[in-house]
Amino acid sequence: HLLEVQPELYEEPFNLTYRDVVCVAIAGLCHDMGHPMFSHMFEAYVQEVASKHMLAQHPPGYETTPAGAEALRQYQQWTHEHTSVGMFRHMLRVNPGLRSGLVEFGLREEDFVFIEELMCPPEGMDLLLENQDAEWPCRGRPHTHAFLYEIVSNWRSGADVDKFDYFTRDAFYLGLKSTVDVRRYIQSLRVMRDTRSTVATSHAEKTLFTLSPDEKQVDTLRLDAAQTRMNLYRKAYKHKTSVKFDYHMRRVLELMEPHIRIPGEGGRMLTMAQAAVEGDMEAFQYIDDSIIRQMLRTPLPELKPAQDEYHRRFTRREIAVLVGETEVDAAVDTAAVARELVRGYNRRRGAARELVEGEVVVQQVKLGHGMKSADPARNVVFYSSKELQRYLNEDSGKKIDKCPAVVRYDHGVPVPKLYRVLCFFDPQPGAGEASEGCFELLTEVFKEFGEGVGGRLVRVRGVMGCSPARLSKL
């Protein structure tokens, strides 16, 4: 599209070639290879659960040492994006014919670096915004190709082909309405100058170039994309049932973790989390859904707790029951909230049975448009189609990228990020019968918690949809 509407991209200072097109296509195909089983849930497992398991293998206070602090940071900051780069390198290393074939096709060593940077942009890209003489952090391409780094993983606004892909696909298959007209947005894109940003270079062209949509698309970024993403998270990705089963599966993985070993590079035997955090792709490539099936079929006594937990939750459907949901503006300490709810319940329980730790589960979901609390349009350079056409009509030899008719929205209203706090009642086996009164009291305590933190109550279950017979089975 860009090369069709702006043939000057073949010329100085861009000099785009087929290699650039191929690299962007490969990055688009490979950027999610780092997703292991259960997608983002495994990320949460590594960051929240496996990190605690790792610390438990060391003496108390290990996290306060330099080595412990670094190990904890690696667990808590692990994401699939960096692992996608590792998997891409591994794929080329173990398939020499693939690399040689790409080289024979015309790709060079810097192209492989470029592909990795497209999948996971280097740190420091945000320092280029509204900065003069900043250092260009990429090695795969010069700063004149900055706009190419906004296609697969857009560090400016989050509006990239990855999001457009799942907006369209997931909304369709979930029966949800997506108000984002992806085709129209992409067709409006032009390569323009961002005169607010320059880089330190000896090159004659110091300005950064960016993907600029028509100013008519500002609401697509601010409203349509934000609302579609929010709807997908509320109604699917972070729906109460999804959150509940994610929690139960994380518990199964936690019970499996110490007893599952996967052969990695050099014959090392690694746990699932170790393979992910340490970037051992030889082991990581086997972390898929089949691990659960293998675990269920393995007659090892050490795996019996994990097998029992899986069958209890997923076979017999003995699952936690929603107490309520509330939305707050700031993150909460879920463990502290759960303890507070248990204490509040036990103080007022009367003749109802006492709750023990672990029977009240609090989960937190962050809802937003993917750019934290920033206005997604703030860092985008828009253009006026009327002014652009007038500029080009003055001289047929003029180049689009030199058009001064740009529009910016520097003072947009930030889109607030919300946190949805979900409370579940999960009676433990042998803890005693859970009555309607027990559940009603816990509901009241949760409602009071929400009011105390200024939350907006989304729903409470009460005893509706949760019969005494079902409560007694839990």
Side-chain angles (χ1 to χ4, degrees):
H1 160 68
L2 292 174
L3 291 171
E4 287 179 359
V5 297
Q6 290 182 258
E8 61 266 29
L9 296 177
Y10 287 113
E11 305 168 2
E12 288 285 350
F14 311 103
N15 296 319
L16 292 193
T17 69
Y18 74 95
R19 289 169 41 228
D20 298 298
V21 177
V22 170
C23 288
V24 171
I26 292 175
L29 292 170
C30 298
H31 79 284
D32 268 345
M33 287 198 305
H35 270 304
M37 60 179 176
F38 308 122
S39 191
H40 291 281
M41 187 276 284
F42 190 83
E43 286 187 2
Y45 164 73
V46 171
Q47 296 166 0
E48 301 169 13
V49 180
S51 59
K52 296 177 183 177
H53 175 75
M54 180 273 296
L55 292 177
Q57 309 306 307
H58 297 275
Y62 175 68
E63 67 274 15
T64 62
T65 66
E70 174 60 21
L72 184 60
R73 183 194 67 80
Q74 291 179 0
Y75 272 80
Q76 293 180 337
Q77 296 184 10
W78 181 81
T79 63
H80 75 277
E81 285 88 356
H82 290 93
T83 307
S84 293
V85 173
M87 187 60 74
F88 177 70
R89 293 173 180 172
H90 178 73
M91 181 176 66
L92 295 177
R93 184 171 64 253
V94 300
N95 296 282
L98 176 59
R99 173 182 281 272
S100 62
L102 291 172
V103 170
E104 185 178 342
F105 184 72
L107 265 58
R108 304 170 186 170
E109 195 58 39
E110 64 265 25
D111 294 327
F112 295 107
V113 176
F114 180 42
I115 292 169
E116 295 176 7
E117 292 175 338
L118 288 172
M119 292 192 289
C120 188
E123 294 183 3
M125 295 292 280
D126 57 321
L127 299 178
L128 297 169
L129 298 172
E130 299 187 38
N131 204 344
Q132 303 297 312
D133 296 328
E135 292 293 330
W136 175 244
C138 302
R139 298 183 296 115
R141 287 294 186 273
H143 70 282
T144 52
H145 291 58
F147 62 94
L148 295 178
Y149 288 87
E150 301 172 24
I151 297 176
V152 177
S153 182
N154 193 334
W155 54 276
R156 276 183 181 264
S157 67
D160 49 47
V161 294
D162 179 29
K163 283 190 177 61
F164 289 154
D165 174 58
Y166 76 72
F167 279 178
T168 305
R169 180 188 64 249
D170 293 355
F172 175 81
Y173 284 106
L174 289 167
L176 301 176
K177 182 176 177 58
S178 173
T179 56
V180 181
D181 190 337
V182 173
R183 184 178 297 277
R184 184 176 182 184
Y185 183 86
I186 291 177
Q187 290 296 320
S188 79
L189 292 176
R190 303 291 184 271
V191 176
M192 306 287 279
R193 292 171 179 270
D194 182 357
T195 55
R196 297 173 297 181
S197 305
T198 63
V199 297
T201 177
S202 58
H203 196 283
E205 181 58 70
K206 298 179 180 292
T207 308
L208 285 185
F209 292 87
T210 181
L211 292 182
S212 298
D214 190 324
E215 62 178 336
K216 299 171 186 175
Q217 298 295 320
V218 64
D219 283 345
T220 297
L221 281 181
R222 278 188 173 159
L223 302 177
D224 297 344
Q227 190 59 48
T228 297
R229 187 177 190 273
M230 189 79 79
N231 285 341
L232 286 168
Y233 268 73
R234 278 182 168 145
K235 297 179 180 180
Y237 308 146
K238 298 302 179 182
H239 183 269
K240 62 181 180 65
T241 305
S242 298
V243 173
K244 181 191 310 184
F245 280 107
D246 278 0
Y247 166 75
H248 290 319
M249 183 53 74
R250 287 202 301 271
R251 176 58 180 158
V252 173
L253 295 179
E254 182 181 12
L255 294 171
M256 289 171 54
E257 179 76 18
H259 312 296
I260 296 290
R261 290 291 187 272
I262 308 170
E265 296 181 3
R268 298 175 63 215
M269 302 301 291
L270 305 172
T271 67
M272 296 179 292
Q274 284 177 328
V277 174
E278 296 181 19
D280 191 313
M281 296 300 108
E282 183 64 34
F284 185 82
Q285 64 182 321
Y286 296 110
I287 303 179
D288 56 24
D289 296 3
S290 67
I291 282 186
I292 298 296
R293 293 192 295 272
Q294 293 175 31
M295 180 272 295
L296 293 173
R297 293 195 300 263
T298 302
L300 288 178
E302 307 94 89
L303 289 175
K304 186 71 163 54
Q307 294 165 351
D308 290 345
E309 181 71 8
Y310 179 90
H311 288 304
R312 178 189 171 206
R313 302 302 192 177
F314 296 95
T315 305
R316 297 194 300 273
R317 281 302 200 262
E318 296 177 10
I319 56 180
V321 180
L322 178 72
V323 173
E325 301 176 58
T326 189
E327 289 183 350
V328 297
D329 294 322
V332 301
D333 183 337
T334 55
V337 172
R339 290 193 296 269
E340 178 186 334
L341 294 175
V342 170
R343 286 196 297 266
Y345 168 90
N346 286 333
R347 282 195 299 265
R348 298 158 52 182
R349 67 185 176 87
R353 79 166 177 84
E354 182 180 11
L355 293 186
V356 298
E357 186 175 349
E359 290 190 297
V360 175
V361 177
V362 177
Q363 297 289 289
Q364 182 170 251
V365 173
K366 184 165 69 174
L367 303 173
H369 53 67
M371 288 295 289
K372 299 182 180 178
S373 60
D375 179 356
R378 175 175 174 78
N379 298 324
V380 177
V381 176
F382 295 85
Y383 68 87
S384 166
S385 55
K386 291 182 179 179
E387 293 299 321
L388 176 60
Q389 195 58 50
R390 184 179 295 116
Y391 168 78
L392 295 176
N393 287 341
E394 292 174 359
D395 182 353
S396 60
K398 286 184 175 180
K399 309 296 186 183
I400 294 178
D401 63 278
K402 299 185 184 302
C403 175
V406 296
V407 182
R408 297 192 181 91
Y409 294 85
D410 292 335
H411 305 292
V413 178
V415 180
K417 56 184 177 183
L418 300 175
Y419 293 86
R420 180 169 287 190
V421 180
L422 301 94
C423 176
F424 297 98
F425 183 37
D426 189 23
Q428 299 302 302
E433 184 174 327
S435 65
E436 286 188 23
C438 170
F439 195 78
E440 285 182 316
L441 177 56
L442 181 58
T443 302
E444 287 302 315
V445 173
F446 177 74
K447 287 170 65 177
E448 292 172 5
F449 155 75
E451 294 168 359
V453 295
R456 293 166 294 280
L457 192 65
V458 177
R459 78 176 97 189
V460 289
R461 176 63 63 87
V463 294
M464 294 176 58
C466 189
S467 66
R470 182 182 176 195
L471 281 171
S472 65
K473 290 180 180 179
L474 291 173

